[in-house]
Amino acid sequence: MTEWTIAAVQMDCQLADMETNLAAVRDHLQTAAAQGARLVVFPECALSGYGFASRADALASSDSLPGPTTEVLTADCARLDVYAVIGMLERDASGRLFNASALVGPKGFIAGYRKVHLPCIGIDRFVDRGDRPFAVHEIDGLRLGLNICFDMSFPESARALTLLGADVIALPTNWATPSVKMAELVCRVRALENHVHFVCVNRVGEESGFHYIGKSSIINCAGDFLAQADHDRETIITAKIDPAVARQKKIIFCAGEYEIDRVGWRRPEMYGPLMT
């Protein structure tokens, strides 16, 4: 099993300007591919912006999945031979609106993810709750799980993806100033407790009274930062991850004396209160 080079694109986004944002995403995708990345992850709502004041305003900056936007990005992924995860607003045929991310590859649209856990802030005040089970998607041998921002506040989200076989979890996010502990601490805990690689991709800039803090990161399954972006600057960070390491959940420090398996040694029969 080969290593994967993953890129996290920390960028600014323009509220309600899909044309400008899509052009920026396409430019960054090409730059990341030139740096050797095979998987490129963008922030939450990278195509739309986040700080909308109403559902009606947000609907004008949404798209279907699949749709015209993913068609454009599919052509880029095919030309560059990369996969991409892009945060956006999804509008379905019945008029529902979701904070979503799209997984696109050289052969087309692969999957969409709808944010399950919604805080009372920005566009999340107006979108519908994600209604699909967590899922893991295999791309050329890499098993990829998707979450979005506030999902990481709930350990069940990453654990569910781990139990479904994820090697790496991609987390597009929009962390503003109060969320610094999510960027510096919680992301590492989720990687460590599940023995899974994590790529957390935040934005920068000012929007609707929010200051976005950057600090995007790529974390290995031991909870170590492999790469971390600056606080307030647009940048692309890359790192190599090994899927095979994430699949070996038991860690043996000294055989028979010091072994750890935070996944295989669960006691589901004792977790009844989690189901209420």
Side-chain angles (χ1 to χ4, degrees):
M1 187 177 301
T2 59
E3 291 185 327
W4 275 66
T5 298
I6 296 178
V9 178
Q10 180 170 288
M11 58 181 282
D12 199 355
C13 309
Q14 306 307 310
L15 185 65
D17 191 346
M18 289 186 69
E19 183 177 353
T20 297
N21 292 332
L22 179 58
V25 164
R26 297 182 70 190
D27 286 345
H28 292 316
L29 186 63
Q30 181 163 317
T31 300
Q35 295 176 4
R38 296 188 63 204
L39 173 64
V40 186
V41 185
F42 292 86
E44 177 182 16
C45 291
L47 294 176
S48 61
Y50 183 78
F52 290 94
S54 72
R55 182 184 179 98
D57 290 343
L59 278 167
S61 294
S62 64
D63 199 358
S64 58
L65 284 179
T69 301
T70 56
E71 287 183 9
V72 171
L73 292 171
T74 290
D76 289 338
C77 288
R79 176 172 52 85
L80 299 168
D81 193 27
V82 298
Y83 294 85
V85 176
I86 309 100
M88 61 181 292
L89 295 177
E90 177 195 359
R91 179 185 66 255
D92 75 2
S94 64
R96 295 185 300 168
L97 183 67
F98 299 96
N99 184 340
S101 59
L103 172 60
V104 181
K107 296 182 180 180
F109 173 76
I110 299 169
Y113 171 73
R114 295 169 171 174
K115 189 174 182 179
V116 170
H117 303 94
L118 301 177
C120 182
I121 184 172
I123 186 55
D124 284 325
R125 295 172 295 167
F126 309 115
V127 296
D128 296 289
R129 292 193 299 175
D131 58 350
R132 294 173 176 165
F134 294 116
V136 169
H137 312 283
E138 185 162 329
I139 52 174
D140 286 350
L142 180 73
R143 300 170 186 167
L144 174 66
L146 302 175
N147 273 176
I148 297 176
C149 199
F150 195 52
D151 288 326
M152 198 175 70
S153 293
F154 299 84
E156 297 86 354
S157 302
R159 180 49 58 95
L161 291 172
T162 299
L163 295 176
L164 289 168
D167 303 319
V168 58
I169 296 174
L171 185 89
T173 185
N174 274 190
W175 285 326
T177 303
S179 299
V180 65
K181 289 182 180 178
M182 301 300 293
E184 295 182 345
L185 174 63
V186 178
C187 57
R188 296 179 66 191
V189 172
R190 294 290 171 264
L192 174 66
E193 68 190 2
N194 291 291
H195 198 71
V196 66
H197 305 294
F198 244 94
V199 52
C200 305
V201 189
N202 196 25
R203 61 168 291 186
V204 294
E206 306 281 338
E207 184 189 273
S208 303
F210 300 112
H211 174 74
Y212 294 99
I213 62 173
K215 292 183 176 290
S216 301
S217 61
I218 302 170
I219 304 162
N220 68 16
C221 55
D224 302 315
F225 285 125
L226 298 177
Q228 189 174 28
D230 292 338
H231 178 60
D232 275 330
R233 183 171 63 90
E234 286 194 313
T235 188
I236 298 175
I237 58 173
T238 63
K240 291 183 181 294
I241 61 126
D242 187 345
V245 175
R247 296 180 191 181
Q248 183 54 53
K249 299 301 185 186
K250 180 183 285 189
I251 304 170
I252 301 175
F253 298 99
C254 181
E257 295 184 12
Y258 188 179
E259 302 180 6
I260 295 291
D261 189 339
R262 294 184 175 91
V263 177
W265 294 347
R266 295 175 306 113
R267 294 285 307 280
E269 72 275 13
M270 304 298 290
Y271 304 156
L274 292 178
M275 305 306 294
T276 62

